[in-house]
Amino acid sequence: MARETVTIRNVAQRANVSTATVSRVLNNDPRVRYETKQVVLEAMETLGYKLNVVARSLKTSRTHTIGVLAPDLAGDFFMFIAESMNRELTLHGYSLVVSTSRDSEEEEAKRIRHLAERLVDGIVLIPVGSSNAYLSQISALHIPIVCVDRALEGFESDQVLVDNEGGAYEAVRALIGEGHRRIGFLGGKPGVTTSKERFAGYCRAMEEAGLQIEQAYLKFGNPTLPFGYRAMDEILKNPDSPNTWFIVNVFAHLGATNYLITEGSRRAMHMTFAAFDEMPYSPLLRYCRYAVQQPIAEMGKAAANLIIDRIEGKGPPEPQILRFRTRLIQHPLVR
């Protein structure tokens, strides 16, 4: 059945319920039994019925709820963003519903639909990657979306970003200024905009200094703590590998540091790191010479205000892209 012809009556017939029951499901009426609701939702999914489009047209008022979707909720960066947003949203009478995509693009698409079905007024999204595989699904929801930290290529939306390239460039240039000549890159997934931009900053600093970018010491992967740990294990197995590294984020940084501490390698005394993400505990990371600080509080506040403006019909019609500057923090090396 063509998507344009699907109506509440079609859904009711498919689910073998009344049209009134379908309307109650769309309005999240608590009197609808869970089993009945599931049958109706399955009928909508089967028929290609866009729940959120119709649900929002049936609403008599906003819910004053904002959905926040992040790849994971364990990291300090994502939680600090949510905390900053919550402070700002509370001042304007909004509340948060927080969800995680578990670092899966498929799960991300499902969670966006789920948040829309919860009738949130808008979604603040920290994308898993830059894939545009499900962009048509997002566009069909007709709900304001603000992307934070990472951009979805090919999807027009408000964005709150940071100068990833500039931050990485400054960190690597600072290492070069201290006399380091062989600097490896311990990075993230190439398909993620933050990783691509930070790698570009690393390359720019190395090329400007006339230093060789050694392909064997460009380590890419999902920048988690286990990734950093395994990568440092591989690095130290090669006695010719560099002792100086730029690390793409705090998770990989923690993993690499953990390996050096727990394995007790003699080379650890000579290791020097510069990394993205200055956290309160960064001075305790003994190999960290430089850390790139992101203005997290300001980014969260900006995201909150952008989504409120979209919901309330304020601001210019074209998407707004805010890119914040970073700050380079120097730490004494603790050997």
Side-chain angles (χ1 to χ4, degrees):
M1 182 176 293
R3 181 177 300 168
E4 293 80 11
T5 63
V6 178
T7 65
I8 290 179
R9 184 178 298 278
N10 299 139
V11 174
Q13 291 172 346
R14 178 84 183 191
N16 197 26
V17 297
S18 67
T19 54
T21 298
V22 176
S23 294
R24 292 190 188 103
V25 171
L26 291 172
N27 285 294
N28 281 336
D29 192 321
R31 294 173 296 177
V32 180
R33 293 173 53 216
Y34 174 81
E35 294 80 4
T36 303
K37 181 178 179 180
Q38 295 308 304
V39 170
V40 172
L41 292 176
E42 288 175 9
M44 292 174 181
E45 182 72 20
T46 301
L47 295 173
Y49 184 85
K50 292 301 179 183
L51 172 61
N52 191 66
V53 175
V54 178
R56 293 184 68 82
S57 70
L58 293 175
K59 289 168 62 179
T60 57
S61 63
R62 295 194 301 268
T63 62
H64 285 84
T65 303
I66 307 297
V68 179
L69 180 60
D72 68 77
L73 301 178
D76 294 332
F77 176 81
F78 300 132
M79 292 311 297
F80 288 157
I81 285 284
E83 182 181 3
S84 175
M85 283 186 57
N86 189 53
R87 286 197 299 268
E88 188 68 17
L89 290 171
T90 300
L91 295 175
H92 294 83
Y94 287 84
S95 60
L96 287 182
V97 174
V98 180
S99 185
T100 175
S101 57
R102 296 183 292 186
D103 211 32
S104 162
E105 291 186 357
E106 181 180 358
E107 186 67 20
E108 183 172 87
K110 291 180 181 178
R111 288 292 154 186
I112 290 174
R113 290 197 300 270
H114 175 73
L115 287 169
E117 290 167 6
R118 291 280 302 270
L119 303 187
V120 296
D121 293 328
I123 295 175
V124 174
L125 171 66
I126 302 176
V128 170
S130 58
S131 171
N132 60 5
Y134 62 90
L135 294 186
S136 60
Q137 300 178 38
I138 297 180
S139 299
L141 294 173
H142 298 290
I143 185 172
I145 293 180
V146 173
C147 289
V148 175
D149 184 51
R150 307 167 181 175
L152 273 176
E153 296 179 357
F155 179 64
E156 290 194 356
S157 71
D158 295 314
Q159 299 173 19
V160 178
L161 309 173
V162 73
D163 183 8
N164 291 293
E165 181 176 343
Y169 170 81
E170 293 295 337
V172 176
R173 193 173 70 165
L175 290 173
I176 294 170
E178 293 189 351
H180 298 278
R181 291 295 177 265
R182 296 184 67 211
I183 305 172
F185 181 86
L186 192 57
K189 296 184 289 187
V192 177
T193 54
T194 49
S195 297
K196 288 194 295 186
E197 291 169 357
R198 292 171 193 180
F199 181 60
Y202 159 85
C203 291
R204 178 156 64 96
M206 295 289 284
E207 290 166 357
E208 283 187 6
L211 300 178
Q212 180 183 1
I213 297 174
E214 302 177 71
Q215 296 297 316
Y217 306 119
L218 303 178
K219 303 290 185 180
F220 295 99
N222 190 13
T224 60
L225 194 151
F227 164 77
Y229 190 96
R230 291 192 303 268
M232 191 52 56
D233 178 37
E234 294 175 4
I235 288 164
L236 292 190
K237 286 178 180 177
N238 183 349
D240 190 47
S241 60
N243 290 331
T244 309
W245 291 81
F246 174 79
I247 306 180
V248 76
N249 73 357
V250 71
F251 298 118
H253 187 182
L254 286 168
T257 300
N258 189 30
Y259 179 85
L260 293 175
I261 293 173
T262 56
E263 295 301 319
S265 169
R266 285 185 295 177
R267 280 186 64 188
M269 294 292 294
H270 305 286
M271 301 299 285
T272 302
F273 296 156
F276 237 85
D277 297 329
E278 163 76 0
M279 294 298 173
Y281 49 80
S282 292
L284 303 177
L285 301 178
R286 62 179 62 182
Y287 311 105
C288 178
R289 179 57 169 161
Y290 294 100
V292 180
Q293 185 180 66
Q294 303 187 66
I296 300 177
E298 290 87 344
M299 292 171 68
K301 181 177 180 180
N305 284 313
L306 277 176
I307 197 69
I308 291 172
D309 285 349
R310 286 299 173 204
I311 292 167
E312 299 182 353
K314 302 175 182 177
E318 64 274 5
Q320 301 299 291
I321 300 178
L322 307 180
R323 191 176 290 272
F324 288 82
R325 293 181 59 86
T326 60
R327 179 185 175 202
L328 189 64
I329 307 296
Q330 179 178 329
H331 297 294
L333 292 171
V334 182
R335 301 303 192 186

